[in-house]
Amino acid sequence: MSTVLKVEHRVGVKAPAEQLWERLADFAYWSHWNPHEAEVEGVLGFGAPLVLTERLPGHPERRASVRLGDWTPHAQLIWHERRGWQFRTTRYFEIEELVPGSCILANGLIVGGLRGEFWFDRHRRGLREAYAGIGENLRRLVEG
Protein backbone atom coordinates (compact mmCIF):
# COMPACT_ATOMS: atom_id res chain seq x y z
CA MET A 1 0.00 0.00 0.00
CA SER A 2 1.40 3.41 -0.89
CA THR A 3 1.35 6.51 1.27
CA VAL A 4 -0.50 9.66 0.23
CA LEU A 5 1.34 12.89 1.06
CA LYS A 6 0.23 16.51 0.85
CA VAL A 7 1.69 20.00 0.92
CA GLU A 8 -0.65 23.01 1.00
CA HIS A 9 -0.59 26.77 1.39
CA ARG A 10 -3.64 28.75 2.53
CA VAL A 11 -3.99 32.53 2.49
CA GLY A 12 -6.77 35.01 3.17
CA VAL A 13 -7.66 37.20 0.19
CA LYS A 14 -9.67 40.42 0.33
CA ALA A 15 -11.39 39.94 -3.01
CA PRO A 16 -14.47 38.12 -4.28
CA ALA A 17 -14.21 34.53 -5.49
CA GLU A 18 -15.10 35.67 -9.03
CA GLN A 19 -11.98 37.84 -9.17
CA LEU A 20 -9.70 34.99 -8.07
CA TRP A 21 -11.36 32.64 -10.53
CA GLU A 22 -10.84 35.09 -13.43
CA ARG A 23 -7.06 34.84 -12.91
CA LEU A 24 -7.06 31.06 -12.37
CA ALA A 25 -9.15 30.38 -15.48
CA ASP A 26 -7.00 32.66 -17.67
CA PHE A 27 -4.15 30.25 -18.44
CA ALA A 28 -2.46 32.71 -20.82
CA TYR A 29 -1.99 35.12 -17.87
CA TRP A 30 -0.41 32.62 -15.44
CA SER A 31 3.15 33.66 -16.29
CA HIS A 32 2.36 37.10 -14.75
CA TRP A 33 1.73 35.70 -11.27
CA ASN A 34 2.89 32.07 -11.23
CA PRO A 35 6.65 31.69 -11.76
CA HIS A 36 6.54 27.94 -11.07
CA GLU A 37 3.76 26.78 -13.42
CA ALA A 38 3.90 29.05 -16.43
CA GLU A 39 3.16 28.89 -20.12
CA VAL A 40 -0.03 26.88 -19.61
CA GLU A 41 -1.61 25.60 -22.82
CA GLY A 42 -5.11 24.18 -22.97
CA VAL A 43 -8.70 25.03 -22.16
CA LEU A 44 -11.02 24.32 -19.26
CA GLY A 45 -12.93 21.09 -19.73
CA PHE A 46 -13.42 17.92 -17.73
CA GLY A 47 -10.54 15.57 -18.53
CA ALA A 48 -9.01 18.11 -20.92
CA PRO A 49 -5.25 17.93 -21.49
CA LEU A 50 -3.02 20.79 -20.33
CA VAL A 51 0.65 21.33 -21.01
CA LEU A 52 2.58 23.63 -18.71
CA THR A 53 6.16 24.62 -18.07
CA GLU A 54 7.07 23.67 -14.53
CA ARG A 55 9.90 25.50 -12.75
CA LEU A 56 9.94 24.17 -9.18
CA PRO A 57 12.87 24.76 -6.80
CA GLY A 58 15.32 21.85 -6.85
CA HIS A 59 13.95 20.52 -10.15
CA PRO A 60 15.06 21.08 -13.71
CA GLU A 61 12.56 22.97 -15.84
CA ARG A 62 10.19 20.57 -17.56
CA ARG A 63 7.14 20.47 -19.78
CA ALA A 64 4.40 18.62 -17.93
CA SER A 65 1.44 17.03 -19.67
CA VAL A 66 -1.44 16.85 -17.22
CA ARG A 67 -5.15 16.15 -17.33
CA LEU A 68 -7.75 18.45 -15.83
CA GLY A 69 -9.79 16.76 -13.18
CA ASP A 70 -12.60 18.57 -11.53
CA TRP A 71 -13.12 22.30 -11.85
CA THR A 72 -15.90 24.47 -10.54
CA PRO A 73 -16.07 28.15 -11.44
CA HIS A 74 -15.26 30.39 -8.46
CA ALA A 75 -14.37 27.34 -6.32
CA GLN A 76 -11.71 24.90 -7.57
CA LEU A 77 -9.28 23.85 -10.27
CA ILE A 78 -7.67 20.40 -10.13
CA TRP A 79 -5.31 18.53 -12.43
CA HIS A 80 -3.66 15.13 -12.33
CA GLU A 81 -0.38 13.76 -13.60
CA ARG A 82 0.84 10.19 -13.67
CA ARG A 83 4.63 10.11 -13.53
CA GLY A 84 5.20 6.80 -15.24
CA TRP A 85 4.72 3.74 -13.08
CA GLN A 86 6.35 5.45 -10.10
CA PHE A 87 3.72 7.80 -8.70
CA ARG A 88 0.90 10.23 -9.40
CA THR A 89 0.24 13.81 -8.38
CA THR A 90 -2.88 15.90 -7.93
CA ARG A 91 -2.40 19.66 -8.06
CA TYR A 92 -5.19 21.92 -6.88
CA PHE A 93 -6.43 25.42 -6.20
CA GLU A 94 -9.48 25.90 -3.97
CA ILE A 95 -11.37 29.12 -3.30
CA GLU A 96 -13.70 29.39 -0.33
CA GLU A 97 -15.63 32.65 -0.07
CA LEU A 98 -16.18 33.29 3.64
CA VAL A 99 -18.23 36.47 3.23
CA PRO A 100 -18.79 38.53 0.08
CA GLY A 101 -15.43 40.00 -0.94
CA SER A 102 -13.29 37.81 1.34
CA CYS A 103 -11.91 34.36 0.53
CA ILE A 104 -9.50 31.69 1.60
CA LEU A 105 -7.29 30.53 -1.26
CA ALA A 106 -5.65 27.11 -0.90
CA ASN A 107 -3.20 25.62 -3.35
CA GLY A 108 -1.29 22.43 -2.97
CA LEU A 109 -0.13 19.06 -4.17
CA ILE A 110 -1.12 15.51 -3.24
CA VAL A 111 1.39 12.77 -4.05
CA GLY A 112 0.64 9.06 -4.05
CA GLY A 113 2.02 5.89 -5.50
CA LEU A 114 4.89 3.50 -5.21
CA ARG A 115 7.84 5.91 -5.25
CA GLY A 116 6.02 9.15 -4.47
CA GLU A 117 7.15 9.16 -0.85
CA PHE A 118 10.84 9.30 -1.79
CA TRP A 119 10.29 12.08 -4.31
CA PHE A 120 8.09 14.04 -1.88
CA ASP A 121 10.58 13.78 1.00
CA ARG A 122 13.38 15.13 -1.21
CA HIS A 123 11.34 18.09 -2.47
CA ARG A 124 8.92 18.93 0.35
CA ARG A 125 10.67 22.17 1.42
CA GLY A 126 10.95 23.53 -2.12
CA LEU A 127 7.33 22.66 -2.85
CA ARG A 128 6.13 24.46 0.29
CA GLU A 129 8.09 27.57 -0.65
CA ALA A 130 6.88 27.47 -4.26
CA TYR A 131 3.20 27.08 -3.36
CA ALA A 132 3.42 29.78 -0.68
CA GLY A 133 4.85 32.12 -3.32
CA ILE A 134 2.13 31.20 -5.82
CA GLY A 135 -0.63 31.87 -3.28
CA GLU A 136 0.87 35.16 -2.14
CA ASN A 137 1.44 36.34 -5.73
CA LEU A 138 -2.16 35.62 -6.66
CA ARG A 139 -3.39 37.33 -3.49
CA ARG A 140 -1.36 40.48 -4.24
CA LEU A 141 -2.55 40.51 -7.84
CA VAL A 142 -6.26 40.40 -7.06
CA GLU A 143 -6.07 42.68 -4.05
CA GLY A 144 -4.33 45.23 -6.28
Side-chain angles (χ1 to χ4, degrees), residues 31-78:
S31 62
H32 295 274
W33 59 270
N34 188 338
H36 303 294
E37 298 155 328
E39 302 169 26
V40 180
E41 301 165 12
V43 295
L44 283 175
F46 292 105
L50 290 181
V51 177
L52 55 95
T53 300
E54 189 178 77
R55 298 180 186 114
L56 293 169
H59 298 259
E61 182 176 297
R62 73 181 188 106
R63 296 281 286 168
S65 296
V66 303
R67 195 136 316 263
L68 274 175
D70 201 8
W71 61 276
T72 305
H74 312 167
Q76 67 180 357
L77 177 64
I78 301 169

Side-chain angles (χ1 to χ4, degrees), residues 17-27 29-30 74 95:
E18 295 85 9
Q19 199 172 348
L20 279 165
W21 180 254
E22 283 177 23
R23 292 301 179 201
L24 277 178
D26 185 0
F27 295 143
Y29 198 75
W30 276 37
H74 312 167
I95 302 166

Side-chain angles (χ1 to χ4, degrees), residues 117-138:
E117 187 173 344
F118 301 114
W119 180 87
F120 185 83
D121 284 345
R122 262 195 343 258
H123 301 293
R124 179 186 328 228
R125 178 175 289 186
L127 292 168
R128 278 192 184 132
E129 292 171 8
Y131 297 152
I134 289 168
E136 293 297 332
N137 286 349
L138 186 52

